[in-house]
Amino acid sequence: MGKFTRFKFQPCIPIGDDGRKITGSHGHVMLSREAASEGMVLLKNDNSTLPLKNGEKIALFGKSTFDFLFSGGGSGECYSIGTQNVYDGFCEKQAQGKVVIYQKTSDFYRDYVASERRRIQSENLFGKHGKEIWSMPCSVEREEKSQWLYLNTTIPEPDVSEMAAEASEFADTAIITLGRFSSEGVDRFPVKGDYYLTDAEEKLISDVSKVFKKTVIILNICGVIDMENFADNKNVSAVLVAWQPGMAGGAAIADILCGDVTPSGKLADTFAKSHVFYPSNDDFTHEYYKLKFHEDIYVGYRYFETIPGADKKVRYPFGYGLSYTTFSFENIFAHESNGKVIVALTVKNTGSYSGKEVIQVYYDAPQGKLGKPALQLAAFRKTKLLAPGEEETVALSFEVKSMASYDDLGKIQKSAYVLEKGDYHIYVGNSVRNLKKADYVYTAESDIITEQLTSRCVPFELDKRMLSDGTFEELSMGEKSVYYGENSSLGGKAPEKVVSFEKVGEEISLDDFIAQMTDDELCEMVGGSENTGVADTSCFGKNKRLSVPSVPTADGPAGLRIRPDREIPTTTWPCATLLACSFNEDLIYRVGKAGAKEVKENNIGVWLTPALNIHRSPLCGRNFEYFSEDPLLSGKMAAAEIRGIQSEKIAVSAKHFAANSKETDRFNCDSIVSERALREIYLKGFEICVKEADPWTIMSSYNLLNGTHTSESYDLLTGILRDEWSFGGMVTTDWGIKNNPVNEVKAGNDVKMPFGYANELKQALADGNLKRADLEACVKRILSLFLKFE
Ligand code: BGC
């Protein structure tokens, strides 16, 4: 097929085997199911309640058994057909003789959910803004948005105490599914029905668990919730975090509960005993416009494992997750070679089920002058499926310099990464709390500067930040300074006759091609063009005179997002947090590759995924779209996904760059964060992606960063992204921001979506506030992207 044929003519040409469609195909649904079962995390399994015995009688409870959440809302939602909820999953197992379902509770919940949905529709409980919370204008009152969140509990848990007693005479095991929805555009609330259980949910757990011999809770959740009701509750025997597991999520849950798959997911976030224990809490719940990241680098486990006394606030630590089998880690060997720390060990399955284990390597660094987290993840690897008694020798490595810290104040050397003098210990285990110290120490004899950088994105309103002993150091505040670099003209020469874009590389160089574009055409090109095709997020590019195609984009990350009214069901993949909990880069690569095939088959060129903002607070409404509180895990997972997607010659758009960890007033919210926390936490995942996976595009974010909109930040988009990290791709804005288009072009934000502000740019050219060379630089990056498509 010709280079841009798919974009131009939108043909219906399937790319699956034997000429069949691959979008939503059986193979993809099965991969979605496999991925779902790899990232679910077993938190509790008293007396080996799970796996269920063959033929076990079970009763299903909880409205989420049927009102199941396959994904969250916003760009991270998807339309699929043939979805499998928890009931569907167990029906499959019943047909195989693995369980017997007590039908009465299932019949009751199915009818109840259907009639409640009818009621909600007829009473128009979703209000005047229609169904899509994420597209609500910012002017909508927070309270009104918060009512929306009660979608979580719009269908309340009914009283089933009598039915539970009756069911317990038939079945030994009750399986309660609890759900939590969240969406782009709104944050979660630390209230009952969101972070906390409702009274009705607590009553459900109590009514059921006191009459059943065994009660299993399935958490079909968008992010961390309060676990205190059931973590120590002796009547609750097992708890599985299933996240929002994609279209085959119910089947994956049944796979795990029936023992067809041994759970191997590990938490990508710390579950604290209360939302108030997260160090971002005060600022996150009370501030809307100026978020001061006072906790600095002490995010997630870096806080809970370091700050004195914080360890007691943890319910389930980072990296934690149970298996049906047990593993031993033997012959742990670590050494340094060529600037890398190599860790090798033998992992043996010492139990009686087949299973996979996640090996996690952490380091500690000397406190020195900068102060350090007690432990930091350095590398991880999931084993293959090990049969009982089977062993695998695993080798992992990481660069010595990745243990360095960023000195933003010049305590040792300003704007440099420094390996402070002293001993660095290496630990190996299967959670941040279950580690063996390797018999090896890396010693820095003196302070070593591993990288000299430049001061960028400097905060001027951050008054203090947390240190490793829990105290705060005062910071000096200053004035906002703005700088835009100078672009020189590409120096192309316009040919005498007009040469079309298809001929670039053959008859004309890209610079000469751009030289034949008029100023107006350049101004048009740096704005998105009207939507074509099946998705709804508009296109990059388009110039009819010069035959530049328009390249359609579509969301991510849950799958290829095509609206239901277009009647093209696609595969819903598990949410990003679940994928991160798999700690399985190969699996994520496969998910990315399969997703990209659906994107290609539907004639779209750019998939607006992955999203890798850091889980700073459990209350961020988009956490389900993001991977983790840890930047290494986020970066590695995103890089694996990017490699998978781009292997199909589909562009990614790694988003939202950067420090976009809150949804409330997201267009105006300023993330005020130290350079160190930026470098070590909020930018690190993006840095890993850029250096390891070369994303073809990056999406700047809605929020401001230290007083500047990220799409207007030269420091961020040119200084750090391009000059320091050598990013060679294109930058797009997030959709619909009203930031200054002239500043965006100067900053290196190449395209404004979903449409541009050509008139403002033309005016700026006329006024001398913008140079043709600035526009040429952006257009060159846009067209270079187009040349990568096959
Ligand atoms: C979201 C992006 C998304 C875009 C296009 C924005 O509201 O923040 O993540 O890709 O819309 O749908």
Side-chain angles (χ1 to χ4, degrees), residues 75 134 184 537 555 561 608 622 655-656 666 699 702 734-735:
S75 74
W134 65 303
E184 175 183 348
T537 47
D555 278 316
R561 186 178 66 78
L608 307 174
R622 285 186 97 167
K655 63 191 188 184
H656 310 89
R666 57 190 179 155
M699 188 189 296
Y702 285 141
D734 198 347
W735 269 230

XYZ file of all heavy atoms in Angstrom, residues 75 134 184 537 555 561 608 622 655-656 666 699 702 734-735, ligand 1:
158
model
N -10.160 9.771 27.972
C -9.348 9.206 26.893
C -9.013 7.747 27.184
O -8.730 6.986 26.271
C -8.071 10.026 26.689
O -7.145 9.792 27.706
N -15.676 14.094 31.560
C -14.366 14.674 31.252
C -14.460 15.832 30.306
O -13.554 16.634 30.203
C -13.422 13.601 30.716
C -13.813 13.009 29.408
C -14.996 12.400 29.112
C -13.038 12.951 28.234
N -14.987 11.963 27.832
C -13.795 12.282 27.258
C -11.759 13.383 27.898
C -13.329 12.043 25.987
C -11.290 13.136 26.624
C -12.071 12.476 25.681
N -11.003 10.994 33.633
C -10.310 12.208 33.250
C -11.208 13.411 33.556
O -12.424 13.339 33.435
C -10.058 12.134 31.739
C -9.450 13.362 31.198
C -9.266 13.319 29.690
O -9.408 12.261 29.067
O -8.962 14.386 29.148
N -10.429 12.642 17.391
C -9.457 13.555 17.990
C -8.698 14.396 16.953
O -7.675 14.998 17.278
C -8.441 12.767 18.858
O -7.999 11.645 18.108
C -9.048 12.315 20.150
N -7.193 8.317 20.699
C -6.769 7.936 22.060
C -6.569 6.447 22.109
O -7.143 5.709 21.331
C -7.868 8.339 23.061
C -7.755 9.811 23.420
O -6.628 10.271 23.650
O -8.794 10.482 23.460
N -9.567 4.217 20.994
C -10.882 4.747 21.437
C -11.657 5.282 20.236
O -11.327 6.307 19.673
C -10.713 5.857 22.476
C -12.039 6.317 23.070
C -11.848 7.378 24.134
N -11.330 8.609 23.612
C -12.050 9.532 22.960
N -13.349 9.338 22.771
N -11.492 10.626 22.515
N -2.563 8.096 20.863
C -2.247 9.034 21.946
C -2.051 8.279 23.264
O -2.849 8.351 24.203
C -3.349 10.096 22.036
C -3.643 10.804 20.695
C -4.844 11.741 20.823
C -2.409 11.582 20.215
N -7.063 10.477 37.223
C -6.554 9.752 36.053
C -5.507 8.714 36.405
O -4.840 8.206 35.499
C -5.958 10.732 35.032
C -6.971 11.480 34.268
C -6.338 12.339 33.175
N -6.382 11.661 31.890
C -6.131 12.272 30.734
N -5.789 13.534 30.721
N -6.202 11.610 29.602
N 2.460 10.919 27.046
C 1.780 12.088 27.632
C 1.703 11.952 29.137
O 1.851 10.859 29.649
C 0.393 12.212 27.020
C -0.559 11.027 27.309
C -1.810 11.110 26.457
C -2.831 10.070 26.850
N -4.025 10.057 25.990
N 1.431 12.931 29.892
C 1.294 14.353 29.577
C 2.508 15.008 30.192
O 2.672 14.947 31.409
C 0.018 14.919 30.201
C -1.192 14.044 29.860
N -1.598 12.969 30.638
C -2.061 14.099 28.814
C -2.682 12.416 30.101
N -2.990 13.071 29.009
N -7.561 21.592 35.681
C -6.294 21.137 35.101
C -5.681 22.109 34.096
O -4.505 22.021 33.801
C -6.467 19.754 34.470
C -7.543 19.677 33.399
C -7.793 18.239 33.025
N -8.834 18.114 32.016
C -8.913 17.101 31.191
N -8.033 16.132 31.257
N -9.880 17.014 30.326
N 3.305 14.527 24.121
C 2.224 15.491 24.332
C 2.523 16.322 25.579
O 2.725 15.759 26.664
C 0.899 14.745 24.536
C -0.329 15.658 24.571
S -1.835 14.768 25.064
C -2.057 13.605 23.732
N -1.665 19.896 30.286
C -2.547 21.041 30.524
C -1.998 21.977 31.604
O -2.179 23.184 31.551
C -3.915 20.559 31.010
C -4.810 19.962 29.944
C -5.598 18.844 30.215
C -4.906 20.531 28.680
C -6.451 18.311 29.264
C -5.757 19.993 27.718
C -6.525 18.885 28.016
O -7.373 18.362 27.078
N -1.666 19.178 24.474
C -2.864 18.419 24.808
C -4.035 19.160 24.165
O -3.913 20.311 23.739
C -3.031 18.273 26.324
C -3.997 17.124 26.665
O -4.698 16.641 25.753
O -4.049 16.723 27.843
N -5.184 18.498 24.156
C -6.296 18.972 23.307
C -7.059 20.154 23.916
O -7.495 20.123 25.065
C -7.265 17.808 23.069
C -6.955 16.994 21.834
C -7.840 16.655 20.871
C -5.712 16.436 21.410
N -7.231 15.939 19.871
C -5.930 15.783 20.171
C -4.408 16.435 21.926
C -4.912 15.138 19.467
C -3.406 15.787 21.233
C -3.649 15.151 20.020
C -6.541 14.343 27.243
C -5.538 13.590 26.408
C -6.220 13.033 25.190
C -6.856 14.161 24.423
C -7.562 13.708 23.150
C -7.346 15.341 26.440
O -8.445 15.777 27.145
O -5.903 14.968 28.321
O -4.957 12.564 27.174
O -5.317 12.297 24.432
O -7.813 14.799 25.235
O -8.718 13.021 23.451
